[in-house]
Amino acid sequence: PEHIVHTQRSVPDSMERPPLSEGTLEDVAKKALKIAETQRIVEALRQTKGNKSKASELLRVSYKTLLTKIKEYGIET
């Protein structure tokens, strides 16, 4: 219908996407999850002044899970 306006959203240069040949959707999802979790863990550790027990409570994950992710993602504590 004529009353529907189609707009094209532009993506900022800082968010340019790599070519599709550079990974599957699953690869992209895993990378995004790693980035998001790393940022959140680092922020929780900052807020708790490095106290992993308090950070795990803040993140609502077990202490063991937090330690596993810190090691897996190479987060320096």
Side-chain angles (χ1 to χ4, degrees):
E2 294 174 11
H3 64 280
I4 296 176
V5 178
H6 295 279
T7 60
Q8 186 174 13
R9 293 174 39 181
S10 63
V11 177
D13 291 341
S14 62
M15 296 180 66
E16 273 303 315
R17 296 178 190 106
L20 289 176
S21 62
E22 291 189 19
T24 66
L25 189 56
E26 183 178 358
D27 294 337
V28 172
K30 285 179 183 179
K31 184 175 180 180
L33 178 62
K34 179 179 178 178
I35 291 168
E37 286 187 339
T38 299
Q39 289 174 342
R40 189 62 188 103
I41 291 167
V42 168
E43 178 60 19
L45 289 168
R46 187 193 65 74
Q47 287 180 17
T48 61
K49 297 180 172 80
N51 185 314
K52 294 176 191 141
S53 182
K54 288 182 181 179
S56 69
E57 290 175 16
L58 184 64
L59 295 168
R60 296 186 208 149
V61 298
S62 72
Y63 183 77
K64 183 177 179 180
T65 295
L66 178 61
L67 292 181
T68 299
K69 289 187 179 289
I70 287 172
K71 183 176 180 180
E72 178 183 349
Y73 297 155
I75 298 170
E76 294 184 23
T77 58

